[in-house]
Amino acid sequence: MFAKAFRVKSNTAIKGSDRRKLRADVTAAFATLGTDQVSELIPGKEELNIVKLYTHKGDAVTVYTSGGNPILFALEKNLYPTVYTLWSYPDLLPTFTTWPLVLEKLVGGADLMLPGLVVPPAGLPQVQKGDLCAIALVGNRAPIAIGVAALSTAEMLAAGLKGRGFLVLHTYQDHLWRSGDKSSPPSIAPPVQDAADVSEEKVQGDMRGLALQGEKDGNGEAHQAHGERSVPEAPEDGSTQDLSPGPTDGRSLQEQMDDLLQQCFLQALKCRVKKADLPLLTSTFLGSYMFSCCPEGRQLDVKKSSYKKLSKFLQHMQQEEIVQVKELSRGVESIVAVDWKHPRITSFVIPEPSLTSQTVQEGSREQPYHPPDIKALYCVPASMTLLFQQSGHKKGSTLEASEVRASVIDYAKKNDLVDANNKNLVKLDPILCDCILEKNEQHAVVKLPWDNLLSRCLEKLQPAYQVTFPGQEPVVKKGKICPIDITLAQRASNKKVTVVRNLEAYGLDPCSVATILQQRCQASTTVMPVPGAKDGLQVQIQGNQIHHLGQLLLEEYGLPRRHIQGLEKAPKPGKKK
């Protein structure tokens, strides 16, 4: 849709009433977004603009921009997120995966054909024809396109994964993306093992059989797909041999720890530290960057190396002109510069990750941890039974937001409640009045817009949720799932501790998490019962360790940010000079 340049008709600041209406539309369209996420996406006071434009095909599109980036666009009264929004909320839509080579075709205006799909071990996401879906590349869960499913999942499989799969509306690198800050997709680890280990011959074979139909913009410059990663060849002098030898290679433990320290140091600089992170506290560099690069089954301990102290090791690395370390404040050292073109960094070969690198307890479990699939549902209360019984639902039935929408629309059409003069309005019959209106509105409100009607229905229904752990049957529970709660508390001598609760609801073992945090943070941890609760455990870590917790829960375990509260309490980085 945006493969070619579009023509802007107008660009105006949004009004307060339109802002509220947009929030209601987002809530109705994307039920998985909580109230906080909707407020974050559609801020109350920050600048928000409405851009009306015409695509090269003549389609009238309304685009909503925030902070200079397009976040949503509306076409024929349907609301769609942009890739910028999906990078912040990668689980907003069902996500399908394709090969990096396909991206160039999608940017050129092609639809995604089924032979280009990569089927994960857990199978394809379950969608119906017409559902809005996200498309990501192998190795990175950050979506690079959105489209509408041309077939249901069952129909895709029945067709042998042949034919058109998705009608692509918007992609990374198209003209709508170019109207923003042109940032690249973030690196989000896939929640399950992807097809990265498929042989190159099979990839090439699949690509030869891939038929993509659509238009190209004519100047199709090839872009290297985000997620493709080439491993540099090792130099002849062997300086980049594996720096993580096993304990039985005949060398002393001190020599092995020296090599492990250098491996984690080089890998952290090559893969994790960015220029924007500088200056970086040396303690943060060790705890947040180097420890996370330590191979599974091994423990990085600077004291067991010949350097004994991190400061001495970094001085050695500074003498090699890899990094520059300065004391920006008294007694506190920071890395202020990195030479990413240094031969030791450029020639460093990243070790192949183990398939079990995301285990909940490192080295103690064979199965990697995969976050549960949590789906927001709505339960029909007795007061709304009459509204939903025509659709075959009764008291206690649990529905998804799309099913609620379909049931309400079906009820309004069957009972001839759509206003003949204005199709956007719905007349309220006695059943609708009893279900969604407050007592003081019973005689004052006789009609409502569709979006207001649907949002009111969702508010009146009882919240519920469905939790599905990999390999297990879905479990439906009433109420809202409690997020993982991270708080800071003060103990004796005014010392701060970090407390984490509700890990069990997401399939995490508090004892295992405590063990990992003890190693990462180099701080004492304690597991104890939650005060005032019949059951449940909480993990207590010495000091403010919220930054480490965020890295563990978000990046390694792949839990969505909306299910974690308290991350904003992480210590603020020092001011850059």
Side-chain angles (χ1 to χ4, degrees), residues 248-318:
T248 60
D249 62 355
R251 295 183 299 162
S252 67
L253 289 175
Q254 189 177 81
E255 291 174 329
Q256 294 177 39
M257 190 56 66
D258 285 352
D259 283 349
L260 180 60
L261 188 62
Q262 294 196 38
Q263 173 188 326
C264 296
F265 171 78
L266 293 172
Q267 185 171 344
L269 292 181
K270 186 164 186 173
C271 302
R272 301 184 64 82
V273 178
K274 309 297 180 186
K275 189 174 182 179
D277 297 331
L278 302 178
L280 181 64
L281 291 174
T282 56
S283 58
T284 302
F285 176 65
L286 175 65
S288 300
Y289 295 85
M290 288 182 64
F291 277 128
S292 60
C293 294
C294 185
E296 182 188 359
R298 304 196 65 190
Q299 184 173 346
L300 181 63
D301 190 342
V302 181
K303 293 180 181 179
K304 293 181 180 180
S305 70
S306 61
Y307 302 97
K308 304 301 180 184
K309 293 183 179 180
L310 178 65
S311 57
K312 187 175 179 181
F313 170 74
L314 291 176
Q315 285 177 6
H316 185 72
M317 295 297 103
Q318 184 169 236

Side-chain angles (χ1 to χ4, degrees), residues 181-203:
D181 61 15
K182 300 181 182 179
S183 55
S184 299
S187 180
I188 305 177
V192 296
Q193 179 186 354
D194 59 19
D197 58 349
V198 177
S199 67
E200 183 178 353
E201 292 182 2
K202 184 180 186 307
V203 175

Side-chain angles (χ1 to χ4, degrees), residues 21-260:
K21 180 179 180 299
L22 180 59
R23 281 184 178 172
D25 290 343
V26 170
T27 302
F30 309 109
T32 56
L33 285 180
T35 305
D36 292 341
Q37 283 76 32
V38 174
S39 299
E40 185 181 68
L41 181 62
I42 314 295
K45 295 182 179 180
E46 294 181 18
E47 183 179 356
L48 193 67
N49 282 31
I50 301 178
V51 180
K52 295 187 177 181
L53 56 85
Y54 292 101
T55 67
H56 67 283
K57 287 188 175 181
D59 296 318
V61 180
T62 300
V63 178
Y64 298 92
T65 65
S66 176
N69 284 337
I71 56 172
L72 300 161
F73 65 95
L75 176 66
E76 296 178 353
K77 298 182 180 179
N78 292 319
L79 202 59
Y80 304 96
T82 66
V83 290
Y84 290 106
T85 296
L86 290 178
W87 294 340
S88 299
Y89 308 98
D91 298 312
L92 184 62
L93 302 175
T95 303
F96 291 78
T97 307
T98 188
W99 302 107
L101 295 174
V102 179
L103 175 60
E104 182 182 353
K105 303 294 183 181
L106 299 181
V107 174
D111 291 328
L112 178 60
M113 310 302 285
L114 291 176
L117 286 184
V118 177
V119 182
L124 296 174
Q126 295 298 315
V127 298
Q128 299 299 319
K129 181 179 180 180
D131 284 357
L132 190 61
C133 303
I135 301 166
L137 301 180
V138 169
N140 190 358
R141 199 157 51 93
I144 50 86
I146 65 167
V148 176
L151 301 170
S152 67
T153 304
E155 291 170 336
M156 293 179 192
L157 297 174
L161 293 181
K162 294 182 179 179
R164 179 180 277 106
F166 300 89
L167 306 177
V168 177
L169 301 176
H170 159 54
T171 70
Y172 161 61
Q173 293 183 351
D174 69 5
H175 283 267
L176 182 60
W177 168 82
R178 294 180 195 176
S179 67
D181 61 15
K182 300 181 182 179
S183 55
S184 299
S187 180
I188 305 177
V192 296
Q193 179 186 354
D194 59 19
D197 58 349
V198 177
S199 67
E200 183 178 353
E201 292 182 2
K202 184 180 186 307
V203 175
Q204 297 298 332
D206 285 346
M207 291 307 302
R208 283 195 295 270
L210 176 62
L212 284 165
Q213 298 177 356
E215 60 187 16
K216 297 186 178 180
D217 58 7
N219 58 357
E221 182 181 349
H223 298 276
Q224 182 177 359
H226 211 81
E228 290 183 311
R229 182 170 59 185
S230 60
V231 179
E233 296 182 0
E236 295 179 0
D237 60 2
S239 60
T240 61
Q241 292 177 345
D242 184 11
L243 295 175
S244 178
T248 60
D249 62 355
R251 295 183 299 162
S252 67
L253 289 175
Q254 189 177 81
E255 291 174 329
Q256 294 177 39
M257 190 56 66
D258 285 352
D259 283 349
L260 180 60

